[in-house]
Amino acid sequence: MNSRIEKIRQLLSELEAETATTPKGDAGFSALELPDIIGEIVDDLQPILTAYDAAFYWFLFRHSIAKDGNPQIRVSRSSLRRAVVKSSYTNAAENNISIGKVQDTLHALEQIGAIQKLGEPNRHGTLYRVLIPDEIEACREFRAERMAEETALFPLSHKDQYQLRTQVFERDAYKCRRCEKQLTRFTATTDYVKTPTEGGADTAENLVTTCTDCNTRGEKRTS
Ligand SMILES: [Zn+2]
C-alpha cells in the first residue's frame, strides 16, 4: 500500500512539473464557481460517459480547473496510464491499463467534446483543454432532455413543490381531510380537489391533505 501511495505521489509531482510549463489558459475559473461546475459534471456529463471516460475526465479536471482555474493541462499517456484507473482486466505486474486503452479513452472524451487537443504531442506530453458541461454540446442536449422530463413529472420545481405541500399540510393541521386521521409530515400526502385533467391547478386552494389510503392519486387499489 505504501509503495502505491509513494508511486502516486511521485506521479503527481511529475505531472505538476509538466503542467508548470503549460501556458496559461484562455479562460480562468474562480474557486467560487467550482461547486456549481462539479454539480453540472455529476448531473450532465457523468451520465453520458463510460466509467473509464469519467475516471479520466475527473483526473484531468482535478489537475486543471480544480487545481488553479486553468483549463489547460499537458499530459503524457504513460503518466495517465499509471495514474487514473487500476485495470481489473489484466494481471500485469503493475496492473496498469494499456496505452491503447488510454488513447481510446482520450479519443472518446475528445469525440464527446469534453476535452480538446490544443497541439501536437511533445516530449512532455500533449496539451489539452478541459471543457465544462456548459461548453459541451452533448451535455447541453442531455440537460435539456433531463429538464423536459423533470418538468413533465414535476410541473413545479422541487423547492416550490415542497413549499406548497408544507403550506397545505399546515393549513389542514396535518389531518387527513377525508378521514380526519392525524398525520405527520412523513405520512401526509396531498391530493387534488379537482385533478389536472379536470382543469385543476397546482395551488393550495386546489389541494388537500390526505392519508395514503384516502389519496386517490395513488395506485389503483383492489379493495
Ligand atoms: Zn384518510
Side-chain angles (χ1 to χ4, degrees), residues 176 178-179 181 211 214:
C176 175
R178 306 217 165 105
C179 73
K181 192 195 281 177
C211 69
C214 297

Side-chain angles (χ1 to χ4, degrees), residues 17-216:
E18 284 169 13
T19 50
T21 60
T22 301
K24 275 285 160 204
D26 47 329
F29 293 95
S30 86
L32 288 175
E33 293 174 277
L34 270 185
D36 286 339
I37 296 173
I38 289 169
E40 284 169 6
I41 295 171
V42 171
D43 289 345
D44 302 324
L45 178 61
Q46 191 147 306
I48 61 174
L49 298 180
T50 68
Y52 267 118
D53 297 351
F56 273 71
Y57 179 84
W58 279 117
F59 180 88
L60 296 171
F61 178 81
R62 186 255 173 277
H63 290 284
S64 58
I65 295 166
K67 187 178 148 216
D68 56 11
N70 180 356
Q72 297 189 0
I73 179 171
R74 188 178 292 281
V75 284
S76 68
R77 282 176 301 170
S78 62
S79 56
L80 277 180
R81 178 178 171 231
R82 283 174 290 153
V84 186
V85 279
K86 185 173 165 183
S87 172
S88 52
Y89 299 125
T90 72
N91 290 314
E94 304 216 345
N95 216 359
N96 290 334
I97 63 167
S98 71
I99 287 279
K101 183 75 191 169
V102 172
Q103 206 158 11
D104 288 350
T105 307
L106 288 172
H107 189 66
L109 286 174
E110 269 186 271
Q111 291 296 109
I112 286 167
I115 60 172
Q116 194 186 348
K117 203 195 237 178
L118 293 180
E120 288 314 305
N122 66 19
R123 65 195 177 89
H124 299 296
T126 308
L127 188 63
Y128 285 96
R129 183 177 194 283
V130 179
L131 290 97
I132 60 168
D134 280 349
E135 300 172 307
I136 305 168
E137 203 188 334
C139 289
R140 292 198 303 266
E141 280 170 15
F142 181 75
R143 183 185 306 166
E145 279 172 34
R146 188 167 59 76
M147 300 286 247
E149 272 171 32
E150 277 178 17
T151 310
L153 283 174
F154 312 106
L156 299 172
S157 76
H158 287 93
K159 193 177 158 225
D160 289 348
Q161 201 179 43
Y162 177 81
Q163 281 173 347
L164 179 61
R165 281 161 51 92
T166 306
Q167 187 190 342
V168 171
F169 295 157
E170 300 206 334
R171 181 199 62 201
D172 296 339
Y174 293 87
K175 266 190 186 163
C176 175
R177 289 267 295 265
R178 306 217 165 105
C179 73
E180 297 293 312
K181 192 195 281 177
Q182 182 65 56
L183 306 166
T184 68
R185 69 191 170 96
F186 301 109
T187 54
T189 63
T190 56
D191 199 5
Y192 289 111
V193 176
K194 231 177 162 186
T195 65
T197 48
E198 297 167 337
D202 274 314
T203 58
E205 296 71 45
N206 190 42
L207 288 166
V208 287
T209 304
T210 55
C211 69
T212 49
D213 286 333
C214 297
N215 191 321
T216 53

